Amino acid sequence: MTNFQEFAELERAGWNDEELAQTYAGLFSRASDLAIPAMLSALRPGSRVLDLCCGHGNISEALLKDGHAVTGLDFSDTMLMLARARIPGGDFLKGDAQNLPFEDNSFDAVICGFGMMHVPDQPAALAEIARVLHPGGEFVMSCWLGPDRSDAFRLYFSNVMTHGSPEVALPPSPDFFQFTDPETTADLFETAGLVLRKSEQVASFFFSDTPEQIVEVFAKGAPRAGYLFRSQPKDRQNAIRTAIVEAVTDNYREGVHFKVPAPSLVHVAEAL
Ligand SMILES: C[S@@+](CC[C@H](N)C(=O)[O-])C[C@H]1O[C@@H](n2cnc3c(N)ncnc32)[C@H](O)[C@@H]1O
């Protein structure tokens, strides 16, 4: 694996930041939540489920409502605090997806909502998932489609490219959109001992009360995407914001709100 140390630190610091955690939970998650029904529909009734990269507990809450037994795991104290506030008495643990604190064959299912793309060593995390699942257990994960197929991601990244400083660059990291390619996904899964059974596209959207909130979603609600904005000089930030606000105002108004498509993919795999 390339050295993703700087990226790992960016992610860890980002998810522990209170403003980022609140923005993810309050704004970004309006889109993430829309993938939950497709993810849960893959599970067998009454499963013992690990909610990996559980964040603020949105998926854990839905799993509990559906009658599953749930353990949530995340490496961010700040996100775990939100999860514990949301589900008092819920079973939430601090831990790293690359080194899970569970015995082999501990779970019927592992579900990972929009988390895998943030992990530096994804092959290690996938191998850990296969290890803690019993044979035949299900692994379900979601990911965002990239700028080629997503209005929201295109709006953000194309305006950062056009109006941002070319000197602002991300540290080396795994390709954020690699799980949108079925062959790459199947290969990564297979190496870990998981067989890709099904991939389903979900029509998710960013809903916002103001066009500015679409900028906030990315700039303040995501470590890697936000770094590209936060590291810009003020005049470049203003130019990016103005261009996105104009595009959202002109193209994505729905009544008194704004709705920008951000389709996602849900993969369902089986442990060997
Ligand atoms: C995009 S949020 C997803 C939250 C929630 N699962 C959802 O679907 O909305 C990603 C979560 O992954 C967590 N995370 C990122 N890298 C992690 C790692 N290596 N180990 C455990 N959790 C990690 C972050 O702290 C954050 O809560």
Side-chain angles (χ1 to χ4, degrees):
M1 187 183 67
T2 323
N3 185 355
F4 294 143
Q5 191 54 35
E6 205 184 332
F7 163 69
E9 282 158 21
L10 175 78
E11 287 285 333
R12 200 172 275 274
W15 290 112
N16 275 298
D17 180 84
E18 204 157 311
E19 185 182 28
L20 191 145
Q22 293 286 2
T23 308
Y24 182 83
L27 287 182
F28 212 120
S29 186
R30 293 180 188 176
S32 321
D33 287 354
L34 297 175
I36 294 177
M39 297 184 87
L40 267 56
S41 71
L43 302 181
R44 286 178 269 256
S47 292
R48 277 174 305 144
V49 187
L50 170 62
D51 179 9
L52 185 60
C53 301
C54 66
H56 56 303
N58 51 343
I59 296 181
S60 291
E61 184 178 69
L63 285 164
L64 288 167
K65 274 194 188 134
D66 271 9
H68 300 289
V70 186
T71 297
L73 180 133
D74 202 285
F75 73 173
S76 157
D77 285 319
T78 315
M79 295 301 281
L80 285 170
M81 201 175 63
L82 296 178
R84 291 184 178 118
R86 182 177 188 135
I87 309 168
D91 183 21
F92 292 109
L93 277 183
K94 183 173 176 178
D96 193 313
Q98 300 157 119
N99 183 18
L100 294 175
F102 305 110
E103 301 286 316
D104 298 1
N105 304 335
S106 294
F107 295 98
D108 302 320
V110 176
I111 196 160
C112 183
F114 302 106
M116 189 55 68
M117 299 80 81
H118 299 280
V119 175
D121 191 346
Q122 294 164 357
L126 290 169
E128 279 293 82
I129 289 163
R131 181 183 68 74
V132 302
L133 277 171
H134 66 62
E138 291 151 318
F139 171 51
V140 185
M141 67 164 271
S142 54
C143 60
W144 300 110
L145 289 179
D148 53 331
R149 287 179 281 171
S150 166
D151 289 33
F153 281 83
R154 186 166 53 249
L155 252 183
Y156 182 72
F157 286 109
S158 68
N159 281 302
V160 167
M161 290 278 281
T162 306
H163 302 287
S165 161
E167 277 159 38
V168 174
L170 283 167
S173 60
D175 175 0
F176 189 83
F177 297 110
Q178 68 175 334
F179 288 96
T180 65
D181 178 53
E183 268 179 43
T184 307
T185 306
D187 285 351
L188 283 163
F189 281 12
E190 195 183 320
T191 306
L194 300 161
V195 183
L196 180 61
R197 293 287 183 222
K198 192 175 110 177
S199 300
E200 179 186 344
Q201 186 165 325
V202 175
S204 12
F205 301 87
F206 284 110
F207 295 98
S208 70
D209 311 311
T210 64
E212 285 81 7
Q213 273 183 352
I214 297 294
V215 185
E216 308 287 288
V217 160
F218 288 100
K220 292 189 181 161
R224 185 172 5 186
Y227 176 88
L228 288 174
F229 183 87
R230 294 190 301 272
S231 309
Q232 301 286 344
K234 276 280 169 269
D235 60 326
R236 300 278 189 158
Q237 289 188 356
N238 289 339
I240 296 166
R241 182 182 290 108
T242 303
I244 297 175
V245 165
E246 261 177 40
V248 173
T249 308
D250 291 348
N251 302 305
Y252 299 102
R253 190 183 287 280
E254 186 141 305
V256 294
H257 300 289
F258 300 87
K259 181 178 170 188
V260 186
S264 52
L265 263 189
V266 170
H267 296 302
V268 181
E270 190 182 320
L272 289 173

